[in-house]
Amino acid sequence: MLAENLVVGCIYLCLCMMLFDLYLLVFHQVEKRLTPRRDKKVRLLFAGQIGRLGAGQPLDAKGQKWLMRFLPRPRGLDAFLSAMGTLGADGVERLIPYYAACLPMLESLVRKTRKEPKEYRAQLAYVLYRMDLGKNPELADAASHTRLHDLSEAILEDVIGESVYLRENTLRAVITIGRPKAVRHALQLLARHPLLVNHQLLADDLLLFPGNPRTLLDLLHSQFEDFCPMLQVSCINYMRLLKDGCSQERFIPAMQRRLESDETNGEVRLAAIRFFASHPLPAAKPALLRLLADDKSAYNFAAVAAMALKAYPGQDTVASLVRGLSSRNWYVRFNCADSLLSLGVEYEAVVRASDDPYAREMMIYRSEVLLRKENRENVP
């Protein structure tokens, strides 16, 4: 009897597995056929709404209502993203009026889907990021700025969300929406969760800010001292990477203190050294010379300081770099040789004057590398 029951149970289990596999097969086949139809429907609706706006007509309310029912589903966002990519292939300019008109719908969608799974919220944040609402000229009035700020605040808690994709997409969305106070609020949230901060990604993300960098820097300055070390590194790297000549005078005293103090967090101090390499300041030179001379206790500071000193020409700089060629650390010697050559010092003079075989070897090696690079660039 027991054996018969086991056989019947196994047969039943096998039938259940077969039915489940059959269901999945049918489901995927149906989805495969329906996906192009859904994409086409959304694309046609998208194009129709763009055409109506171009003709000076209001949006089709029925179409927007259908879209609002469709978008809370993951496949709805997939279709919307597909339409954005297809219709924006020839330039996103034609999509800008529709993105602006969709702002009320986006606000409702964000609030409606706050309890959706993290995968959906990450994809929705990616849609907001792709829309680049902060650069939309039709959202430049004060009322639109308020609505954009509210939209940013509605998704803000996801910058400390459950997955890296959710956190990164949300942070990019908040930054590209372009409201400075919302960005500061996002950084304040991250400051309470320092383990979630990737200073390299965050510095690159801050460069996406579409507004005036000075406005953002003024807000960051008010919180800089309260930020965790990784956020301070991100802020310093952001200022270093800015290319529009935006002034950073207000941060200079704080960065000088971090450069000069031996109590400073190591990553923050390295970021400060790199900043003063890109934005030379005469007052920072003594600290850089001291860091290079003290390579026994912290060779990483010495190596980066040697690299930074190429922006500080002078006899004291050259003398310090020549002494650095005798460092026990290979990276310090390499950066010293590179900076000396960048300052126009002839490697033959250093080789003849030095009795240190390691110093001579490094100068010869670095000069040969540069010579080969020049020869490759000159090859037609």
Side-chain angles (χ1 to χ4, degrees):
M1 189 65 182
L2 179 60
E4 292 178 358
N5 290 337
L6 287 174
V7 171
V8 171
C10 290
I11 294 174
Y12 177 75
L13 182 61
C14 290
L15 285 174
C16 289
M17 293 174 64
M18 291 172 64
L19 287 173
F20 180 73
D21 290 341
L22 180 62
Y23 166 77
L24 283 181
L25 179 63
V26 173
F27 176 80
H28 285 304
Q29 289 298 320
V30 171
E31 278 292 302
K32 189 176 180 180
R33 293 191 177 191
L34 288 180
T35 297
R37 297 179 187 178
R38 286 194 295 259
D39 290 352
K40 183 178 179 180
K41 185 174 182 178
V42 173
R43 186 167 63 250
L44 291 175
L45 173 62
F46 216 123
Q49 299 288 44
I50 291 172
R52 291 176 67 88
L53 291 173
Q57 300 175 0
L59 291 176
D60 177 20
K62 185 177 179 181
Q64 288 297 100
K65 189 175 180 180
W66 177 85
L67 199 59
M68 186 62 196
R69 290 198 307 269
F70 185 52
L71 285 180
R73 311 171 192 173
R75 57 180 179 270
L77 280 183
D78 290 338
F80 194 79
L81 271 172
S82 176
M84 288 173 62
T86 302
L87 297 175
D90 299 327
V92 298
E93 293 78 12
R94 60 191 298 235
L95 306 182
I96 287 176
Y98 184 55
Y99 288 166
C102 281
L103 183 56
M105 182 188 73
L106 293 172
E107 290 180 278
S108 299
L109 181 64
V110 164
R111 290 186 172 88
K112 184 178 179 180
T113 57
R114 283 295 80 200
K115 294 184 179 179
E116 291 294 322
K118 60 181 181 294
E119 294 82 8
Y120 176 88
R121 301 198 319 270
Q123 191 175 22
L124 179 56
Y126 180 70
V127 170
L128 295 175
Y129 158 61
R130 285 280 303 276
M131 284 183 162
D132 220 356
L133 296 172
K135 292 182 180 179
N136 195 315
E138 301 198 11
L139 297 174
D141 57 283
S144 295
H145 284 178
T146 300
R147 301 192 76 166
L148 288 173
H149 177 81
D150 293 341
L151 179 63
S152 297
E153 291 288 338
I155 63 173
L156 206 57
E157 63 182 17
D158 283 339
V159 299
I160 54 172
E162 309 95 290
S163 74
V164 64
Y165 300 106
L166 176 60
R167 295 194 295 270
E168 180 63 13
N169 287 349
T170 303
L171 184 60
R172 287 188 172 190
V174 170
I175 291 172
T176 53
I177 287 172
R179 306 318 307 149
K181 291 183 179 179
V183 176
R184 181 180 64 177
H185 191 184
L187 296 183
Q188 288 172 335
L189 282 177
L190 285 172
R192 300 176 201 147
H193 301 81
L195 294 178
L196 301 180
V197 179
N198 183 312
H199 64 84
Q200 294 172 324
L201 282 178
L202 182 53
D204 290 337
D205 290 345
L206 288 172
L207 291 173
L208 299 172
F209 182 72
N212 186 346
R214 184 184 292 274
T215 304
L216 182 58
L217 285 175
D218 288 343
L219 289 174
L220 294 181
H221 179 266
S222 65
Q223 301 289 322
F224 186 74
E225 298 292 344
D226 298 326
F227 283 159
C228 64
M230 289 299 99
L231 275 179
Q232 291 183 1
V233 171
S234 300
C235 292
I236 295 172
N237 287 342
Y238 168 60
M239 289 184 286
R240 175 172 59 86
L241 295 170
L242 284 174
K243 296 180 180 179
D244 63 351
C246 182
S247 175
Q248 301 102 357
E249 293 92 347
R250 298 179 68 178
F251 284 86
I252 296 297
M255 282 193 284
Q256 271 191 272
R257 289 195 300 272
R258 284 160 174 76
L259 175 67
E260 295 168 358
S261 174
D262 293 334
E263 303 300 321
T264 302
N265 175 275
E267 292 294 333
V268 176
R269 200 175 196 185
L270 289 172
I273 297 171
R274 294 187 181 101
F275 175 84
F276 287 117
S278 300
H279 303 271
L281 182 75
K285 187 176 181 179
L288 294 174
L289 293 173
R290 180 171 64 83
L291 287 172
L292 175 57
D294 187 25
D295 68 326
K296 294 182 177 61
S297 58
Y299 75 87
N300 52 343
F301 296 144
V304 181
M307 177 190 67
L309 282 169
K310 69 175 67 174
Y312 295 83
Q315 291 300 320
D316 52 348
T317 299
V318 172
S320 183
L321 290 170
V322 170
R323 287 194 296 272
L325 289 172
S326 299
S327 170
R328 293 181 298 177
N329 186 271
W330 188 90
Y331 295 101
V332 175
R333 298 199 303 272
F334 180 89
N335 286 348
C336 285
D338 188 64
S339 292
L340 285 168
L341 294 171
S342 297
L343 290 171
V345 177
E346 294 293 336
Y347 85 94
E348 293 92 345
V350 176
V351 170
R352 286 195 299 268
S354 176
D355 58 356
D356 185 341
Y358 292 105
R360 294 197 302 270
E361 178 186 276
M362 182 55 73
M363 283 299 292
I364 293 172
Y365 165 71
R366 191 66 188 125
S367 61
E368 288 178 350
V369 169
L370 292 176
L371 181 61
R372 290 176 183 175
K373 184 178 178 182
E374 291 175 1
N375 291 336
R376 283 198 303 270
E377 292 174 351
N378 293 330
V379 172

